[in-house]
Amino acid sequence: MRTPEEKEKIVLEYLNGRVGYATVARSHGIAKGRFYVWIEKYRKSGIDGLRSQTGRHKGPNKGRSKKGDEIEELKRQLAKKDIEIERLKKVMS
């Protein structure tokens, strides 16, 4: 993984040069799409835009997976149904 400073150096190589972004990306072994994202982030936020955002989510859903919450709710509902079935079996016998 490259540091923000390394990313900045590569982005500036493109921005200050006369070579296309695909050529710069290829010469550094970076996917063209990824490099394009770096360029846009750098233009918008400078070197801060090139810092990793991993683990920096904000808000009430920090660290929560919507799909995970949905699965847990379905498991709770299934457990309730199982209990109800067992209760009905006892009443019927």
Side-chain angles (χ1 to χ4, degrees), residues 49-61:
L50 300 175
R51 296 190 193 289
S52 173
Q53 297 299 310
T54 304
R56 297 178 190 218
H57 300 286
K58 297 178 182 176
N61 293 325

Side-chain angles (χ1 to χ4, degrees), residues 10-75:
I10 297 168
V11 169
L12 289 174
E13 180 181 327
Y14 162 70
L15 293 175
N16 296 331
R18 293 183 181 187
V19 182
Y21 82 94
T23 303
V24 175
R26 190 176 329 113
S27 71
H28 291 281
I30 304 165
K32 290 186 293 186
R34 171 63 50 206
F35 186 52
Y36 183 79
V37 169
W38 289 1
I39 294 165
E40 292 305 306
K41 286 183 174 185
Y42 186 79
R43 284 180 172 153
K44 182 179 178 186
S45 305
I47 194 167
D48 287 336
L50 300 175
R51 296 190 193 289
S52 173
Q53 297 299 310
T54 304
R56 297 178 190 218
H57 300 286
K58 297 178 182 176
N61 293 325
K62 179 179 178 180
R64 296 174 86 192
S65 163
K66 289 181 182 178
K67 192 172 262 186
D69 290 345
E70 190 175 313
I71 290 170
E72 289 303 314
E73 178 58 29
L74 290 171
K75 285 180 180 178

